[in-house]
């Protein structure tokens, strides 16, 4: 199976993603709607978070510590790991029913070939898959892998590179399934560029239910 230590990343590649994170962080910080989100008292902000200094440096430092990014918390993950083409900051309601993300779609998330295009459908779907699974896991406080996901691409996601708002809400929590809906938008009040519904499996729920039934 292997661990992260078995798959080292060349320093030049690390630097590329450090530069992407720096560009993403600057773009997110310059986004008015994200500042409004962060100022809401009912929301808890995560990614990036203040941690002890760590090495190697991510290239985005703050006094007295370092910003822990999603690519550090899950380095081998396809969507948010060390080679993620996204920079993500996130916040969620204290009751864990709604999450809001600021997602910087980097230059290699477009459908362009030799010229920049609009947000590629697979890149958008990957963000939805991560967004909905993370909210479900946060809501029930246990892993929730995706059982089913539907993505509807309504209009171009542009410009790329650029910052987009991703929202997800818990619709229902029934038995061993959690049902989530989500949308992607420019964050400025326009119509969503993409919509999503997802069904997530609550890990361990079925086994727990069988044990409870056996005691009856």
């Amino acid at each position: 199976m292997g661990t992260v230590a078995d798959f080292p990343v060349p320093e030049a590649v690390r630097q590329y993603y450090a530069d992407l994170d720096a560009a993403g962080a600057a773009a997110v910080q310059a986004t008015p709607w994200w500042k409004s989100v962060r100022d809401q008292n009912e929301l808890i902000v995560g990614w990036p978070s203040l941690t002890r200094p760590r090495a190697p440096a991510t290239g985005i430092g703050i006094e007295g510590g370092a910003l822990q990014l999603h690519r550090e918390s899950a380095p081998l993950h396809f969507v948010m790991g060390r080679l993620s083409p996204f920079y993500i900051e996130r916040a969620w309601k204290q009751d864990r029913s709604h999450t809001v993300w600021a997602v910087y779609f980097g230059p290699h998330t477009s459908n362009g070939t030799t010229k920049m295009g609009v947000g590629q459908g697979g890149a958008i779907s990957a963000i939805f898959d991560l967004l909905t699974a993370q909210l479900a896991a946060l809501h029930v406080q246990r892993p929730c892998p995706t059982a089913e996901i539907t993505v509807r691409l309504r209009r171009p996601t542009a410009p790329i590179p650029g910052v987009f708002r991703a929202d997800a809400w818990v619709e229902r929590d029934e038995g061993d399934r959690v049902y989530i809906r989500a949308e992607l938008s420019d964050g400025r009040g326009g119509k969503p560029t993409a919509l999503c519904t997802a069904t997530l499996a609550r890990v361990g729920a079925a086994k727990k239910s069988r044990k409870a039934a056996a005691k009856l």
Side-chain angles (χ1 to χ4, degrees):
M1 294 284 289
T3 68
V4 64
D6 299 314
F7 304 97
V9 174
E11 183 55 37
V13 176
R14 286 182 177 273
Q15 187 57 53
Y16 170 82
Y17 286 104
D19 293 343
L20 186 148
D21 287 339
V28 168
Q29 290 167 17
T31 302
W33 65 259
W34 183 241
K35 183 179 185 303
S36 298
V37 167
R38 291 175 62 94
D39 289 343
Q40 294 180 35
N41 293 330
E42 65 180 17
L43 295 178
I44 299 171
V45 177
W47 287 352
S49 58
L50 180 61
T51 65
R52 293 189 299 273
R54 55 190 300 160
T58 63
I60 308 175
I62 52 180
E63 185 177 354
L67 288 174
Q68 183 184 22
L69 306 178
H70 51 84
R71 67 180 79 250
E72 296 174 3
S73 65
L76 293 181
H77 195 277
F78 175 68
V79 185
M80 64 177 178
R82 291 182 303 189
L83 304 185
S84 169
F86 309 100
Y87 170 83
I88 305 168
E89 295 192 16
R90 62 179 184 172
W92 59 90
K93 287 189 67 173
Q94 296 185 31
D95 66 1
R96 303 190 296 272
S97 65
H98 176 211
T99 189
V100 187
W101 290 13
V103 184
Y104 175 77
F105 278 63
H108 293 94
T109 61
S110 90
N111 64 358
T113 53
T114 59
K115 292 184 179 180
M116 191 62 68
V118 299
Q120 197 267 344
I124 294 168
S125 299
I127 282 293
F128 275 139
D129 189 25
L130 177 64
L131 173 74
T132 55
Q134 291 245 324
L135 177 59
L138 188 67
H139 182 69
V140 304
Q141 296 293 283
R142 66 175 64 207
C144 290
T146 304
E148 182 178 341
I149 188 167
T150 300
V151 175
R152 300 176 181 85
L153 304 175
R154 291 300 182 88
R155 49 190 51 81
T157 295
I160 301 294
V163 178
F164 298 89
R165 174 171 176 150
D167 285 83
W169 298 266
V170 176
E171 292 281 89
R172 304 195 313 279
D173 179 1
E174 299 176 350
D176 64 350
R177 292 290 187 266
V178 182
Y179 301 88
I180 307 288
R181 68 178 175 89
E183 65 180 41
L184 187 72
S185 71
D186 62 10
R188 299 191 297 270
K191 293 181 179 180
T193 64
L195 302 172
C196 171
T197 56
T199 303
L200 297 304
R202 187 198 304 252
V203 171
K207 183 177 180 180
K208 184 176 180 180
S209 296
R210 287 195 297 269
K211 287 183 177 180
K215 292 180 180 179
L216 297 178

